[in-house]
Amino acid sequence: MRYIFIFFLILFSTNLFSQNHLLVKIRLNETNNLEKLLSLNIIDEHFDYEKNQFVTSFISDRDFEKLKNSGFSYEILIEDWNKYYNSLPVP
């Protein structure tokens, strides 16, 4: 019985904490600039920045919802990182 409980606990926690990540290109302009984007706390320190033009970063589904409501223009480059990664050919 104890093993069944542990199995379901692991199964539940894996599904609960696994999240999809998207690769997005976020366009910047005079109104929606890098400072405003960073204040949303949706991107971390690992992003590509083309000065005053755009930011490319991986963000979670939860942060993507914030981005959609932020007024920034964006383009989804990879919609599901796990699916994309798993589809890459193995060398």
Side-chain angles (χ1 to χ4, degrees):
M1 183 70 173
R2 187 169 128 187
Y3 293 112
I4 294 173
F5 174 74
I6 292 172
F7 171 76
F8 281 110
L9 182 65
I10 292 170
L11 182 67
F12 177 73
S13 64
T14 305
N15 288 332
L16 181 65
F17 295 112
S18 65
Q19 248 194 73
N20 181 42
H21 284 81
L22 302 90
L23 179 61
V24 293
K25 179 189 273 189
I26 305 166
R27 288 176 178 58
L28 303 174
N29 57 39
E30 293 172 6
T31 306
N32 292 324
N33 56 29
L34 183 60
E35 186 177 323
K36 182 177 176 184
L37 180 61
L38 292 174
S39 73
L40 295 173
N41 293 323
I42 61 173
I43 60 173
D44 60 14
E45 66 273 2
H46 305 287
F47 61 88
D48 293 324
Y49 173 62
E50 183 67 33
K51 189 173 183 178
N52 298 324
Q53 292 184 28
F54 62 85
V55 168
T56 304
S57 179
F58 284 98
I59 61 174
S60 67
D61 284 334
R62 183 180 307 145
D63 290 338
F64 182 63
E65 290 301 316
K66 291 180 191 176
L67 176 63
K68 288 194 310 189
N69 297 321
S70 70
F72 280 90
S73 177
Y74 61 87
E75 175 185 354
I76 300 173
L77 303 176
I78 299 175
E79 192 165 350
D80 185 335
W81 172 250
N82 290 329
K83 186 176 179 181
Y84 171 79
Y85 181 79
N86 289 329
S87 72
L88 293 174
V90 178

